[in-house]
Amino acid sequence: MASSSNKKTLPNSPSSVGRPPSSSVKFARRTSSGRVMSLSRDDDLDMSGEMSGENDYINYTVMMPPTPDNQPGEEAKADSTAGTYAASRFGTEPRRRNDGGGGGGEASKMDRRMSVMNSSNNKSILLRSQTGDFDHNRWLFETKGTYGIGNAFWSQKDEDSYNGPTGDMNMHDFIDDKPWKPLTRKISVPPAILSPYRLLVVIRLIVLLFFLVWRVQNPNPDAMWLWGISIVCEIWFAFSWLLDILPKMNPINRATDLSALHDKFEQPSPQNPTGRSDLPGVDVFVSTADAEKEPPLVTANTMLSILAVDYPVEKISAYISDDGGAILTFEAMAEAVVFAEVWVPFCRKHNIEPRNPDSYFNSKVDPTKNKKRPDFVKDRRWIKREYDEFKVRINGLPDVIRKRCEMYNCREERKLTKETSTGGSARSIEPLGDNAGDEPGSTVPKATWMADGTHWPGTWLEPCADHKKGDHAGILQVMSKVPDVEPVMGFLDEKKLDFTGVDIRVPMFAYVSREKRPGYDHNKKAGAMNAMVRASAVLSNGPFILNLDCDHYIYNSKAIREGMCFMMDRGGDRICYIQFPQRFEGIDPSDRYANHNTVFFDGNMRALDGLQGPVYVGTGCMFRRFALYGFHPPRANEYLGVFGHKKAPAPQYQTMDSVRLRPPEEGDEAAPLAEHPDLGLPIKFGNSQVFTDSIAVAEYQGRPLADHETVKNGRPPGALLEPRPPLDAPTVAEAVAVISCWFEENTEWGDRIGWIYGSVTEDVVTGYRMHNRGWRSVYCITKRDAFRGTAPINLTDRLHQVLRWATGSVEIFYSRNNAFLACRRLKFLQRIAYLNVGIYPFTSVFLVVYCFLPALCLFSGHFIVAGLNLAFLSYLLTITICLILISLLEVRWSGIGLEEWWRNEQFWCIGGTSAHLAAVIQGLLKVIAGIEISFTLTSKSAGDDEDDIYADLYIVKWTSLFIMPILIIVTNIIAAVIGISRTLYAVIPQWNKLLGGLFFSFWVLAHMYPFMKGLMGRRGKIPTIVYVWAGLLAITVSLLWLTLNPPGSGMTGAGAGEIKI
């Protein structure tokens, strides 16, 4: 309320003392207890009830109601003339200006009611509340709203129209309408960290150039061979460091707004009266190839986390690709679907995180934290028993399948024997195996049987023709049907949990095993992923595809929503994929072999996000299906100039005709030719009309919502509310046809469409092709990890994994996917990053040579420089200090730890001297001799010791990759002993050269420490094979030394220690 008798300000307040009384308005609100709370920034209110004299109606207090119209007061009459108005210093806020000081009576009447000033931007001013609610206080301030005697009220005259004669605004505009919100925002790295980081990079680059010039101009005449080798290695290291550091100059962070996503796509609106989800569909792909190295229980837990994801059930579809065609995986997935019928509603009822059962029940946190339902403990105990039984069934499947097959095979043999003995017409059973009997029909093949008593069409336990790896039929089984579009609520069941009010639907789930036949190149994982792309396009056709490994499960149930914020935001139609960081479980606490790889995932990838986007790393990635098909983005730029500093819009090769896949005729000018091979349009998709028709549908459904004038290439709200039709037999038959081994013949699959063939690291090549067409990618780091998986903690397995990655990089370098051949749509620094991907394995050649240099210095008694003078030490100190400061700042903006950074440096040296060198040799053999490269599938199973989860860490598996690191370690240790002995017994000891050699030898051994510790095993015992190799190497080095420098030939005076050949 507003009154002048009992509500007034303090008369002696500093704001009123010493000057004439002026008009002021105070705001207050009465709480439920009767206490008056001031809402003004001025002095406190005096609610004593005293009169205020002549200033009775000048200073008064406004009692704020919850809403401006819940207590209407008496309407005041006023004329419509209110003088002229002028803009205030805020630009958009109107201010009244009286003419000539007249019209006081009219102004007094006007001040007794609310009025809204005529302004073209009134609505944008009044709707500044970030919560979307009506902000009454801000409305009063920005519109200079006035009051009559009594309650604040809304004039009836202005109820229908208060923006002039047009009447285009009313009260509901301020209460119901919500401001447009972006779904994502970009968070820059603080300049206090980024600016010094860039400055130090420039300083180190300049000092490095001066140092290399000084090194070239100051050779060591006593050991020119040492000087020459070191110069070549140091120049390459400087070049490699430059390739690595340049793409890190613009790191950024990003954040999403899940509440805005919910408001836009899942709230009732005129276009969506029921509030049904308008989000696009997502197809989740999981790939597996070997049931022995990738245990079915791990894969089943991954699938359960997908089926329980927090996303509209009718919009999610799950697929698993079993490239081995194993019945064990098939039946494990069938068991997982049965368990999902209780696990998925349990997760929704109690908001479980994570939704991988194994990780959830093995979690060390309090399970009752933030759980509000009183029946949670009882439900959790029941579901834990169900999961234990589920694990027993999964682990017992091999024995169940074997016994079933033996039973059915014995039955078939008895039938054959009975028919033969009775002299009836025996069935002619052809021997399917290579070692079958000599006479056809004499034996029954040892088939693998399904639970329904039919032959398994995939790989049999005892392989034979048409039923072995690389030779089996295509299999597609829809294990969980397409869910209803409306929620299906559960009920109280005595045998299960009480799911009353909980949606019990389960997403669609399909098992896929593509057909394989001899004579066809199946292209490993890339071929399996492309088969799933085609099958999913026929069955569900989700415009977005989430790709996961079988051991990477969804740790954050809202991860798909986080990624969808970027795809559905303004400009999201230019994004080809969202890459999430890889996080790992089961890593030893010290992370001996840098398995977490945080320097790459939190440093390099975050920096690439500030350019054209991160590279695709094979898992945890959400693709735009239309981009996977090889099409161009709707808008792209070309970067011209030497350093790509000139940006210009790229020509649009894509037209609606290409989206509709009109086959171009010869000489047709409507299909323009691109000047770069990657810029051509995909044409040959195969002979499936159903698949071809699905492409334009996926492109349209993947567009962002056109809810703002700045959103380009959008779709109208409510366009995705139609339910999916149920699957029928012809549709499933078409899906089986597109996964046949012959479907890709005479098509562009693997060349321009889908995952790209020709490399063991198909993930990097696929992402590179998309960036080369002008697409952008985004790196999405969520507060709670989106996905988690496992990584090999055994040294041998870790080196084999790095070998596969490095081999793929060498293949990229020697192929047309080399960044040197990229088109102008690739940014300059993005090109540098991809160039580094193909070049980094070659650093191993120079690294191996440089690791032997300290030993050569100690053997020969010389050093890479003539002496440890002031110039050399100053350069070395400056470069080292700059590198340390750069690393510290990189740790700051990336969020990694110093120990993680040091572990990464150590394993860079270990991998560089072993796996990277082998990858370079394999790559050269493939290019020169045409020898194909094979790799070993990384094992996802844990060690045999169940009591120690890190048992695999101490297992020593000999591999040829150990030879070079062992040689480097033994050589440096022997050289250190020889160098110290020579210096101690020399006539004129040269301590400066000894100290230089020992320092660099210690640098090498410090980087090799994790490798040496890994060879010692659990109890610190070195395997016998290491002793054998060390002894052989020591004898070889000693004999070589005696041959080059026999006793008494070069040990005179100051020339002691020189090599004499």
Side-chain angles (χ1 to χ4, degrees):
M1 298 177 63
S3 67
S4 60
S5 59
N6 57 352
K7 310 285 191 301
K8 66 186 182 77
T9 58
L10 289 172
N12 296 327
S13 62
S15 61
S16 59
V17 174
R19 66 173 186 267
S22 60
S23 175
S24 71
V25 179
K26 306 291 184 178
F27 301 105
R29 175 171 294 166
R30 190 178 299 276
T31 63
S32 59
S33 61
R35 178 176 170 270
V36 176
M37 180 178 62
S38 174
L39 299 178
S40 299
R41 295 184 179 179
D42 297 332
D43 299 321
D44 294 335
L45 301 176
D46 182 10
M47 309 303 294
S48 60
E50 297 180 359
M51 302 295 292
S52 58
E54 60 180 358
N55 295 330
D56 196 17
Y57 287 91
I58 297 179
N59 299 324
Y60 60 94
T61 301
V62 178
M63 298 301 296
M64 297 293 298
T67 57
D69 58 342
N70 64 341
Q71 295 178 351
E74 182 182 358
E75 181 180 358
K77 298 179 180 180
D79 297 332
S80 59
T81 58
T84 59
Y85 299 87
S88 70
R89 61 187 176 90
F90 295 102
T92 60
E93 299 172 5
R95 181 188 302 172
R96 186 181 64 184
R97 182 176 64 224
N98 294 328
D99 294 334
E106 294 179 355
S108 177
K109 295 179 181 179
M110 183 65 68
D111 288 343
R112 293 192 183 98
R113 69 173 181 86
M114 279 187 178
S115 62
V116 179
M117 307 307 168
N118 290 325
S119 172
S120 60
N121 200 23
N122 272 346
K123 193 169 182 179
S124 63
I125 300 172
L126 304 180
L127 296 180
R128 288 185 181 179
S129 171
Q130 292 300 316
T131 63
D133 299 330
F134 178 73
D135 193 340
H136 190 267
N137 292 341
R138 192 167 186 87
W139 181 86
L140 288 172
F141 174 74
E142 295 187 354
T143 62
K144 300 297 186 293
T146 56
Y147 295 85
I149 305 299
N151 293 340
F153 70 94
W154 198 273
S155 173
Q156 186 65 32
K157 179 179 180 181
D158 294 331
E159 176 69 25
D160 299 326
S161 172
Y162 51 86
N163 193 28
T166 58
D168 58 347
M169 297 178 68
N170 55 51
M171 182 64 183
H172 298 287
D173 292 329
F174 299 99
I175 299 178
D176 296 337
D177 287 358
K178 295 183 179 180
W180 184 86
K181 290 184 181 180
L183 300 178
T184 62
R185 57 191 177 96
K186 187 185 299 184
I187 305 174
S188 302
V189 176
I193 299 176
L194 193 56
S195 298
Y197 178 78
R198 293 171 174 171
L199 179 62
L200 285 171
V201 169
V202 175
I203 292 175
R204 187 176 190 271
L205 179 61
I206 295 174
V207 175
L208 200 58
L209 291 175
F210 279 106
F211 172 69
L212 293 176
V213 171
W214 180 85
R215 290 277 282 117
V216 172
Q217 294 176 350
N218 294 269
N220 185 3
D222 295 332
M224 293 294 292
W225 58 282
L226 277 177
W227 171 81
I229 293 175
S230 63
I231 280 293
V232 173
C233 292
E234 288 165 1
I235 292 176
W236 179 266
F237 291 153
F239 172 68
S240 177
W241 174 79
L242 192 62
L243 292 181
D244 182 68
I245 202 68
L246 282 180
K248 295 182 179 180
M249 302 297 281
N250 189 34
I252 63 170
N253 298 309
R254 298 182 187 270
T256 59
D257 190 349
L258 293 180
S259 61
L261 182 75
H262 176 75
D263 292 342
K264 285 189 177 184
F265 292 91
E266 296 177 316
Q267 287 290 348
S269 64
Q271 295 82 10
N272 184 12
T274 60
R276 188 184 302 166
S277 176
D278 197 24
L279 288 169
V282 179
D283 294 340
V284 186
F285 292 173
V286 176
S287 58
T288 181
D290 192 336
E292 294 181 0
K293 293 187 176 181
E294 298 168 334
L297 183 60
V298 175
T299 307
N301 277 282
T302 299
M303 298 309 305
L304 288 170
S305 70
I306 295 171
L307 297 177
V309 70
D310 185 4
Y311 200 76
V313 183
E314 68 275 9
K315 299 297 182 72
I316 200 84
S317 300
Y319 297 85
I320 182 168
S321 170
D322 181 15
D323 223 26
I327 189 174
L328 179 60
T329 304
F330 177 84
E331 298 202 359
M333 295 303 103
E335 291 284 352
V337 171
V338 175
F339 180 68
E341 294 178 356
V342 292
W343 172 253
V344 172
F346 170 76
C347 293
R348 292 175 186 153
K349 178 180 178 180
H350 297 289
N351 195 21
I352 299 299
E353 291 287 355
R355 300 189 176 182
N356 177 323
D358 190 68
S359 297
Y360 172 69
F361 290 119
N362 291 329
S363 179
K364 304 301 181 183
V365 300
D366 182 11
T368 61
K369 185 178 181 180
N370 298 327
K371 297 297 180 290
K372 300 178 181 180
R373 288 181 176 261
D375 57 348
F376 169 71
V377 175
K378 178 178 68 68
D379 289 356
R380 186 181 187 274
R381 189 181 300 115
W382 184 88
I383 201 73
K384 178 66 166 62
R385 289 196 302 267
E386 291 293 317
Y387 178 65
D388 290 339
E389 295 177 2
F390 167 73
K391 287 198 299 183
V392 170
R393 291 195 299 270
I394 293 292
N395 294 328
L397 277 178
D399 290 336
V400 172
I401 295 172
R402 180 178 53 82
K403 292 179 180 179
R404 181 204 307 153
C405 294
E406 291 177 354
M407 182 187 68
Y408 278 110
N409 288 329
C410 290
R411 187 190 65 180
E412 293 296 313
E413 289 179 357
R414 287 196 300 268
K415 285 184 178 180
L416 180 62
T417 304
K418 183 178 179 180
E419 293 176 358
T420 305
S421 61
T422 57
S425 57
R427 291 176 299 156
S428 177
I429 302 177
E430 296 293 337
L432 299 179
D434 297 334
N435 300 324
D438 297 331
E439 297 180 4
S442 60
T443 59
V444 177
K446 301 296 184 181
T448 299
W449 297 79
M450 300 176 66
D452 59 355
T454 59
H455 281 180
W456 169 245
T459 303
W460 284 1
L461 299 180
E462 295 186 11
C464 61
D466 294 333
H467 294 283
K468 60 183 178 181
K469 289 186 177 181
D471 184 13
H472 61 80
I475 308 170
L476 194 151
Q477 177 66 46
V478 179
M479 295 186 168
S480 178
K481 65 178 183 178
V482 177
D484 297 332
V485 67
E486 297 296 338
V488 178
M489 297 303 174
F491 53 89
L492 178 60
D493 189 350
E494 294 181 357
K495 298 181 180 180
K496 297 182 180 179
L497 301 180
D498 182 8
F499 291 139
T500 304
V502 179
D503 189 0
I504 62 173
R505 293 177 298 167
V506 177
M508 192 197 87
F509 175 44
Y511 171 92
V512 179
S513 181
R514 58 178 173 148
E515 181 186 11
K516 287 186 174 182
R517 297 300 179 191
Y520 289 90
D521 187 1
H522 301 105
N523 297 295
K524 303 182 178 65
K525 181 181 177 181
M529 298 303 295
N530 285 338
M532 268 201 296
V533 169
R534 297 191 296 269
S536 63
V538 175
L539 296 178
S540 56
N541 197 30
F544 298 101
I545 295 172
L546 176 61
N547 160 227
L548 295 175
D549 284 345
C550 66
D551 62 326
H552 271 71
Y553 67 92
I554 297 179
Y555 186 74
N556 181 358
S557 63
K558 297 184 182 296
I560 298 181
R561 292 180 179 270
E562 299 260 9
M564 201 58 66
C565 286
F566 293 100
M567 291 294 192
M568 293 291 103
D569 202 11
R570 179 174 51 192
D573 56 329
R574 299 175 56 194
I575 298 176
C576 57
Y577 62 81
I578 308 294
Q579 179 63 60
F580 295 86
Q582 291 188 22
R583 306 301 186 198
F584 302 101
E585 295 176 335
I587 307 299
D588 55 297
S590 62
D591 194 12
R592 182 185 296 177
Y593 306 124
N595 288 98
H596 285 299
N597 211 0
T598 52
V599 173
F600 174 75
F601 287 113
D602 292 339
N604 298 67
M605 297 284 276
R606 194 190 302 260
L608 289 177
D609 198 16
L611 303 177
Q612 202 167 337
V615 298
Y616 168 42
V617 295
T619 183
C621 187
M622 180 187 292
F623 284 96
R624 182 180 298 275
R625 184 183 287 269
F626 188 69
L628 267 178
Y629 289 156
F631 291 100
H632 303 154
R635 301 173 306 282
N637 296 318
E638 288 188 348
Y639 302 93
L640 311 176
V642 179
F643 300 106
H645 56 281
K646 298 179 181 179
K647 184 171 70 172
Q652 296 296 317
Y653 299 117
Q654 175 179 313
T655 62
M656 288 308 297
D657 288 337
S658 66
V659 175
R660 297 189 183 97
L661 304 175
R662 179 177 58 86
E665 300 176 0
E666 187 174 355
D668 189 0
E669 297 181 356
L673 296 177
E675 57 186 25
H676 191 277
D678 283 348
L679 297 183
L681 289 173
I683 300 172
K684 301 178 180 179
F685 287 91
N687 58 358
S688 173
Q689 189 62 37
V690 176
F691 172 79
T692 304
D693 294 340
S694 71
I695 297 177
V697 177
E699 188 276 334
Y700 176 77
Q701 293 183 352
R703 297 180 182 181
L705 205 62
D707 59 344
H708 195 268
E709 58 183 6
T710 59
V711 177
K712 300 179 180 179
N713 193 36
R715 61 172 175 85
L720 303 184
L721 299 180
E722 292 295 326
R724 276 193 296 172
L727 297 178
D728 51 12
T731 303
V732 176
E734 185 70 19
V736 174
V738 298
I739 62 173
S740 61
C741 57
W742 49 263
F743 185 84
E744 294 184 358
E745 288 186 345
N746 300 321
T747 67
E748 294 178 315
W749 285 98
D751 179 41
R752 190 189 303 275
I753 306 170
W755 271 259
I756 306 302
Y757 301 155
S759 174
V760 297
T761 53
E762 71 288 334
D763 44 10
V764 178
V765 178
T766 302
Y768 163 76
R769 290 288 190 88
M770 294 183 185
H771 284 147
N772 206 26
R773 297 187 187 105
W775 290 95
R776 299 180 59 87
S777 61
V778 169
Y779 197 52
C780 180
I781 301 180
T782 57
K783 180 177 290 186
R784 177 184 175 88
D785 294 343
F787 310 101
R788 283 192 178 181
T790 59
I793 60 176
N794 180 264
L795 178 59
T796 303
D797 294 338
R798 175 74 165 129
L799 288 178
H800 283 156
Q801 185 185 56
V802 174
L803 172 63
R804 185 171 74 250
W805 296 343
T807 302
S809 296
V810 175
E811 290 176 336
I812 292 173
F813 181 80
Y814 287 119
S815 68
R816 66 186 182 96
N817 298 310
N818 194 314
F820 277 121
L821 307 177
C823 69
R824 292 179 295 184
R825 295 191 177 192
L826 199 67
K827 285 187 175 181
F828 175 74
L829 291 181
Q830 190 81 14
R831 186 191 302 260
I832 295 296
Y834 274 113
L835 190 63
N836 187 40
V837 169
I839 287 179
Y840 82 88
F842 295 93
T843 305
S844 62
V845 178
F846 303 92
L847 181 61
V848 168
V849 174
Y850 209 73
C851 286
F852 279 110
L853 274 184
L856 295 176
C857 293
L858 293 171
F859 281 141
S860 63
H862 296 290
F863 196 50
I864 57 177
V865 293
L868 299 179
N869 53 21
L870 181 62
F872 176 75
L873 294 177
S874 299
Y875 277 122
L876 193 63
L877 181 63
T878 304
I879 292 173
T880 304
I881 291 176
C882 287
L883 180 60
I884 293 174
L885 293 177
I886 289 173
S887 301
L888 290 176
L889 289 175
E890 187 172 332
V891 164
R892 287 288 305 276
W893 62 253
S894 64
I896 62 178
L898 284 175
E899 183 180 3
E900 294 172 325
W901 176 84
W902 172 238
R903 291 298 187 201
N904 182 78
E905 292 296 313
Q906 287 179 314
F907 196 78
W908 169 79
C909 186
I910 296 171
T913 56
S914 57
H916 294 176
L917 182 64
V920 172
I921 297 174
Q922 287 185 356
L924 291 175
L925 289 177
K926 181 179 180 180
V927 173
I928 297 174
I931 300 176
E932 287 296 328
I933 301 172
S934 61
F935 65 92
T936 303
L937 186 66
T938 304
S939 177
K940 272 72 173 183
S941 58
D944 296 333
D945 190 354
E946 297 181 358
D947 297 332
D948 187 359
I949 59 175
Y950 307 124
D952 232 17
L953 180 68
Y954 308 107
I955 299 176
V956 180
K957 307 173 186 176
W958 175 257
T959 175
S960 59
L961 298 178
F962 287 173
I963 296 177
M964 187 58 67
I966 291 176
L967 180 61
I968 291 173
I969 293 171
V970 173
T971 304
N972 276 275
I973 293 176
I974 295 175
V977 175
I978 293 176
I980 293 174
S981 301
R982 179 195 297 109
T983 305
L984 289 175
Y985 293 102
V987 178
I988 304 177
Q990 299 182 7
W991 293 101
N992 59 344
K993 295 182 179 180
L994 174 66
L995 292 177
L998 287 178
F999 174 79
F1000 284 107
S1001 183
F1002 172 77
W1003 178 87
V1004 173
L1005 293 177
H1007 281 75
M1008 289 292 180
Y1009 173 73
F1011 180 83
M1012 293 185 288
K1013 193 173 181 180
L1015 288 181
M1016 297 179 184
R1018 182 189 296 272
R1019 298 174 181 83
K1021 295 182 179 179
I1022 301 178
T1024 305
I1025 188 67
V1026 177
Y1027 284 112
V1028 173
W1029 274 99
L1032 291 175
L1033 292 174
I1035 294 173
T1036 303
V1037 171
S1038 300
L1039 292 176
L1040 181 63
W1041 176 255
L1042 291 175
T1043 303
L1044 297 177
N1045 192 8
S1049 62
M1051 301 293 291
T1052 58
E1058 294 182 357
I1059 296 180
K1060 302 293 184 180
I1061 301 178

